[in-house]
Amino acid sequence: MKRGRFRLGFVALLIAVFVPLALVLRRPGAPPERRQPPAPARPGPRSASPGQAPRPIAAPARARARTCVRVIDGDTVMLDGHERVRLIGVDTPELHREGTPVQYFARQASAHTNRLVAGRRVRLDFDQERRDRYGRTLGYLWLEDGTFVNLEIVRRGYGFAYTRHPFRYLDEFRSAERAARTEGAGLWAAPDSIGTAVGPPA
C-alpha cells in the first residue's frame, strides 16, 4: 500500500515538473522584428531656377477690396476715401519732389503704375508699420487677376527694391531687382543714366 502511494506521488511530481517545462520549451519564439521600409522623403518647396518665373505671391485673405482713383507717381497712389498709399518695398525715380528735378525714368515709372492700377479694383494689405513719416498709408496692392502691383513694378524695371527697412517679401523683391538688372528691363536698359541721378528714397 505504501509502495503504491509512493509511485502515485512520484508520478504526480514528475507531471508537476515536466509538463510546465515542456510547455515552455514548445512555446514558439517571438517573431523576428519586421523593419518597415523608410518613408519616401517629401520634397521641400522649390525655389525658382535662374530664368524661371518666381512663384506668384497671392493676396492674403484679409486684404481689403478698394478702388484706385488716382496715381500720384510710380510708387504712390490714391485710393477711394482719399487714402494716399505708399507702396511697400518699391522706390521709383522722383517725379514731384520739391526742389528736385524730374529724375531719369520717373515719367515712365508713373505711366506704368497708372496703366496698372488707375480706376481699377485692388486689394490692400499692410505690414508691421501702417504709416510713414508723411502720414501716408504703407501698403501692398494686388489686382483682381492676382498681379502683385508692388513686385510687378520692380520686376518690370520701373523701380528699385526699397530694402532700407525690413518687410515681409524683402527676399522676393531683391530677386526681382536682380533679374530686372540682368535682363536690362526698364530703367536698367541704360544703367549709366541712373547712377547718382536717383535721389534717396521717399
Side-chain angles (χ1 to χ4, degrees):
M1 190 72 178
K2 288 182 180 180
R3 180 175 294 179
R5 288 179 179 176
F6 175 78
R7 285 179 178 175
L8 289 175
F10 183 72
V11 170
L13 178 63
L14 289 177
I15 292 172
V17 171
F18 287 104
V19 169
L21 180 61
L23 292 175
V24 170
L25 293 176
R26 291 184 61 186
R27 189 189 331 179
E33 180 183 357
R34 292 186 177 182
R35 306 187 69 177
Q36 296 292 334
R42 293 185 178 181
R46 297 176 60 187
S47 57
S49 304
Q52 181 181 359
R55 177 181 57 84
I57 299 174
R62 64 176 178 270
R64 298 182 298 167
R66 304 290 295 275
T67 299
C68 178
V69 296
R70 185 164 66 93
V71 169
I72 297 169
D73 60 21
D75 54 38
T76 308
V77 301
M78 183 77 75
L79 300 186
D80 53 339
H82 302 286
E83 185 170 13
R84 186 179 293 227
V85 176
R86 173 65 165 83
L87 302 179
I88 299 172
V90 55
D91 181 53
T92 59
E94 295 298 337
L95 184 61
H96 299 301
R97 175 175 283 184
E98 185 177 351
T100 302
V102 174
Q103 294 179 337
Y104 170 74
F105 224 75
R107 292 189 177 90
Q108 292 91 327
S110 182
H112 175 68
T113 302
N114 191 71
R115 288 191 300 271
L116 273 178
V117 298
R120 301 178 70 176
R121 296 286 287 174
V122 296
R123 295 182 67 83
L124 171 66
D125 190 38
F126 311 99
D127 213 303
Q128 294 184 359
E129 297 294 329
R130 288 293 187 97
R131 296 193 178 275
D132 67 6
R133 57 180 177 170
Y134 303 108
R136 299 175 297 187
T137 297
L138 296 172
Y140 301 109
L141 294 183
W142 282 265
L143 299 178
E144 291 182 314
D145 66 3
T147 300
F148 186 9
V149 174
N150 308 47
L151 186 59
E152 184 73 1
I153 293 169
V154 176
R155 190 176 73 85
R156 296 285 185 179
Y158 287 96
F160 309 89
Y162 184 22
T163 60
R164 178 177 295 181
H165 304 291
F167 59 98
R168 192 182 310 148
Y169 308 112
L170 187 144
D171 290 340
E172 289 84 352
F173 277 60
R174 280 179 171 161
S175 296
E177 182 180 300
R178 283 196 298 268
R181 285 174 181 258
T182 301
E183 296 167 7
L187 57 83
W188 302 111
D192 291 343
S193 299
I194 304 167
T196 56
V198 177

